[in-house]
Amino acid sequence: MREKFKQQLEEMYRQMVVMGGLCQQAIAMAVKTLDEEEEAAERLETQVHVLDSEIDDMEREIESLCTKLLLKQQPVATDLRRITAALKMVTDLERIGDQASDIAELARFIRQGSRNEHLQKMAADVIRMVSESVEAFVRLNLDQAREVIAYDDVVDHWFDEIKKELIARIAQDSSAGEEFLDVFMVAKYLERIGDHATNLAEWVEYAMTGARSKDGLWVDPAEGVSGHSN
């Protein structure tokens, strides 16, 4: 019985890696839309929507597997936390797919060369956060998870820089205000993806410690705030 449980747990990890990879592809492809002419951008947008659909399917598959693990295998406390964390994480991964689709829809209406150059760097950073969060879960690497949580400050910094630059550009050319607003929304979606990646890493913490660090506090989902984190 325990051997079968271990095999199913490994399958859960494998599917999490696949789902995380699909999210990374969707983000990268959505932002690449900014560099393409309209026809190519439309094709990329379609591909992002296909990836988003695949991500939705993966969410359902992993949820089903987790349910089977919970109902049939009677996991011990540490395994129960990992399965619970996986159920929470797939929700964040699904939302990342949705936001990649939102970025693609906006990006193809933004003229080449008019985007803020920081968007590409911001996108690379959130892709890294998603990748390392999922990797930390599979490897049960607490230090890596906490590095992702700390790295969210870098993504927030990019968002602030983009916002400041757009305000200055609108002041210089108010006629392009609608397009600059689209650029701002792309940055906002990337910032939200960074927040979701942070959530992923916090669930890795929970899987390993039974608590999450949130806003400088250790939070036990069952008991609420339990004290200050170090």
Side-chain angles (χ1 to χ4, degrees):
M1 180 69 75
R2 185 66 189 174
E3 184 59 31
K4 183 168 180 62
F5 174 80
K6 183 178 179 182
Q7 291 173 359
Q8 291 180 324
L9 199 63
E10 289 297 323
E11 176 62 13
M12 181 192 75
Y13 287 138
R14 187 193 70 79
Q15 291 192 22
M16 291 284 291
V17 171
V18 172
M19 189 176 183
L22 291 173
C23 287
Q24 294 166 57
Q25 291 177 47
I27 300 165
M29 196 172 290
V31 175
K32 181 175 169 53
T33 309
L34 289 162
D35 294 323
E36 302 295 338
E37 299 290 350
E38 186 172 354
E39 185 175 339
E42 289 179 0
R43 288 197 298 270
L44 282 172
E45 181 187 346
T46 299
Q47 292 174 36
V48 173
H49 290 321
V50 170
L51 285 169
D52 185 26
S53 179
E54 292 177 8
I55 290 166
D56 292 343
D57 290 342
M58 289 296 304
E59 179 189 27
R60 288 188 288 271
E61 289 178 20
I62 295 170
E63 285 177 342
S64 177
L65 179 56
C66 288
T67 300
K68 290 177 183 177
L69 285 167
L70 289 171
L71 295 178
K72 296 183 179 181
Q73 299 298 335
Q74 298 180 330
V76 297
T78 53
D79 293 328
L80 181 60
R81 288 203 305 267
R82 293 172 193 175
I83 297 167
T84 301
L87 284 167
K88 297 292 187 179
M89 291 172 74
V90 294
T91 299
D92 278 298
L93 288 169
E94 188 274 333
R95 289 173 181 168
I96 287 171
D98 289 344
Q99 285 158 0
S101 286
D102 291 334
I103 290 171
E105 288 176 8
L106 285 170
R108 71 182 178 91
F109 294 110
I110 299 172
R111 292 194 309 271
Q112 283 183 285
S114 69
R115 71 193 188 286
N116 189 292
E117 64 181 12
H118 294 156
L119 282 176
Q120 298 288 354
K121 295 177 181 177
M122 189 178 183
D125 283 337
V126 298
I127 290 171
R128 171 186 169 186
M129 289 176 70
V130 172
S131 174
E132 295 198 359
S133 293
V134 175
E135 184 177 301
F137 181 62
V138 173
R139 294 185 176 184
L140 298 177
N141 189 325
L142 186 58
D143 289 340
Q144 187 175 19
R146 288 176 175 169
E147 286 173 5
V148 172
I149 293 168
Y151 204 79
D152 190 43
D153 290 341
V154 175
V155 172
D156 289 342
H157 171 74
W158 283 127
F159 178 69
D160 290 339
E161 288 297 307
I162 291 168
K163 183 167 62 174
K164 290 175 186 176
E165 184 167 333
L166 289 173
I167 290 171
R169 290 167 73 178
I170 290 172
Q172 294 173 356
D173 182 11
S174 60
S175 65
E178 185 173 347
E179 186 171 357
F180 290 148
L181 180 59
D182 287 341
V183 175
F184 173 80
M185 288 305 301
V186 169
K188 185 62 180 175
Y189 284 128
L190 288 172
E191 190 246 355
R192 288 177 182 171
I193 290 172
D195 290 340
H196 286 302
T198 301
N199 287 343
L200 295 174
E202 288 172 353
W203 282 114
V204 177
E205 282 189 318
Y206 171 72
M208 298 183 66
T209 67
R212 297 173 64 197
S213 61
K214 188 78 172 174
D215 300 325
L217 297 168
W218 283 109
V219 180
D220 187 317
E223 298 179 5
V225 176
S226 59
H228 286 275
S229 62
N230 294 325

